[in-house]
Amino acid sequence: MIQIAIFSDIHGNLPALKAVLADIDARKIKNIFCLGDLVDFAPWSNEVIEAILAKKIPCIMGNHDERIAFDYPIIPLAKHDDQETTCRIQAINHSKKIITAKNKLFLTQLPYSMQFEYKVKTKNWRIQLVHGSLESNEHYLYETTSDTTFEQIFNQTHADILVMGHTHISYIKSIANKWAINTGSVGRSKEESTDATYLLLKLFEDRIEAEIIRIPYDIITVIDAIKASEIPNFYADFLLSKQIKDIAPQPFTHEQAQISQS
């Protein structure tokens, strides 16, 4: 049996990343991958990059990483109102201001996608990693996205499993004996819980077991750090509103699926 941990969308949230890495270490998982969006939102973009480098975790380029790496202009998004648009511009400009030259260079060198194979006895499992989709790290692939879209990706990549982030919403979806899995977000979950999420895969000869692991972390520290920084309080308020809904810490939970060899 081979264990693999995959996570995405840290967004400068170092306490959340530390909590996830501690859980991965406790499970003695040696195969670890990151799907990008290391920067923006919380004030530890540099520290998050340095933690990824220290652990030598293979990483692909998220859309936020790309924008900071190449100083791309900030294009307003139709889904944002005026307040969020203003705050988003301020937060991204803050990241551009504080990113170190070394870490900016690291972001420029990240690949857009990654594929790997693991052999378990007689079975080869092929896993495709993207941030958004094969076409763009800006594309959103939701659980409700048409099966045809996913099938096209499987046909292109010949992968057994497609793993992505970007939406900040985790899911495990079966499509024609293949599996599309979203890891959710470490640092800025859009799910009901504030918990950081990551994907745990267990590879066997005849099956793969997939779990979405949910990890609590010190959200108050993140809220206070955002408020003490030049990042707009809009993002601290986002976490605070979710913290109020949580009321009290919950035990670790997960979504689980078993993926059998066809």
Side-chain angles (χ1 to χ4, degrees):
M1 186 265 288
I2 296 172
Q3 293 192 106
I4 303 169
I6 307 173
F7 58 82
S8 188
D9 296 275
I10 301 98
H11 288 289
N13 189 335
L14 187 64
L17 176 61
K18 284 183 174 180
V20 165
L21 291 177
D23 190 74
I24 291 171
D25 286 344
R27 296 173 187 265
K28 301 186 185 329
I29 302 170
K30 302 302 182 185
N31 305 291
I32 309 170
F33 297 87
C34 177
L35 306 184
D37 271 6
L38 306 178
V39 300
D40 287 338
F41 172 63
W44 296 282
S45 290
N46 285 309
E47 291 84 350
V48 164
I49 292 170
E50 287 152 14
I52 296 296
L53 284 167
K55 288 275 190 179
K56 298 181 180 178
I57 297 172
C59 184
I60 59 181
M61 183 185 293
N63 57 305
H64 285 257
D65 304 322
E66 186 172 23
R67 185 182 296 112
I68 299 304
F70 299 106
D71 287 320
Y72 287 160
I74 305 168
I75 300 172
L77 303 177
K79 64 181 180 179
H80 292 165
D81 60 20
D82 290 344
Q83 180 193 17
E84 186 164 0
T85 296
T86 299
C87 292
R88 175 173 172 265
I89 291 169
Q90 291 176 7
I92 293 170
N93 282 335
H94 174 72
S95 294
K96 289 182 176 182
K97 174 183 174 182
I98 61 93
I99 195 78
T100 67
K102 177 184 176 182
N103 290 336
K104 186 175 181 179
L105 177 62
F106 167 75
L107 294 180
T108 68
Q109 297 171 339
L110 295 176
Y112 282 94
S113 64
M114 191 180 301
Q115 185 178 108
F116 56 90
E117 287 189 17
Y118 284 97
K119 185 173 184 178
V120 185
K121 296 183 179 178
T122 62
K123 175 63 178 178
N124 285 321
W125 292 106
R126 183 174 294 178
I127 303 172
Q128 178 69 46
L129 306 182
V130 298
H131 180 74
S133 74
L134 274 181
E135 295 181 13
S136 170
N137 57 23
E138 296 275 5
H139 286 182
Y140 293 93
L141 295 177
Y142 292 102
E143 189 170 9
T144 55
T145 298
S146 71
D147 287 0
T148 302
T149 299
F150 288 109
E151 287 167 356
Q152 289 172 348
I153 296 173
F154 287 123
N155 288 337
Q156 283 181 260
T157 62
H158 306 288
D160 299 292
I161 300 173
L162 170 69
V163 186
M164 73 218 84
H166 190 46
T167 68
H168 298 203
I169 301 171
S170 62
Y171 61 83
I172 300 174
K173 178 183 174 79
S174 173
I175 306 107
N177 295 320
K178 305 286 187 177
W179 293 82
I181 304 176
N182 194 300
T183 67
S185 172
V186 170
R188 196 187 174 202
S189 174
K190 293 183 179 178
E191 302 180 45
E192 288 187 9
S193 171
T194 57
D195 292 348
T197 64
Y198 76 92
L199 170 66
L200 170 59
L201 294 177
K202 295 181 180 180
L203 310 187
F204 300 86
E205 183 178 19
D206 62 339
R207 70 191 188 280
I208 289 180
E209 294 176 1
E211 300 180 43
I212 300 298
I213 308 294
R214 305 184 186 279
I215 307 295
Y217 65 93
D218 186 356
I219 284 180
I220 297 303
T221 292
V222 182
I223 291 170
D224 289 345
I226 291 174
K227 289 183 175 180
S229 74
E230 297 178 12
I231 299 167
N233 288 350
F234 174 90
Y235 297 102
D237 294 340
F238 168 83
L239 286 178
L240 184 60
S241 66
K242 296 175 75 65
Q243 175 75 1
I244 291 169
K245 288 179 183 178
D246 278 357
I247 300 176
Q250 300 296 315
F252 294 179
T253 59
H254 64 266
E255 180 181 355
Q256 184 174 25
Q258 182 170 296
I259 306 166
S260 300
Q261 183 177 4
S262 58

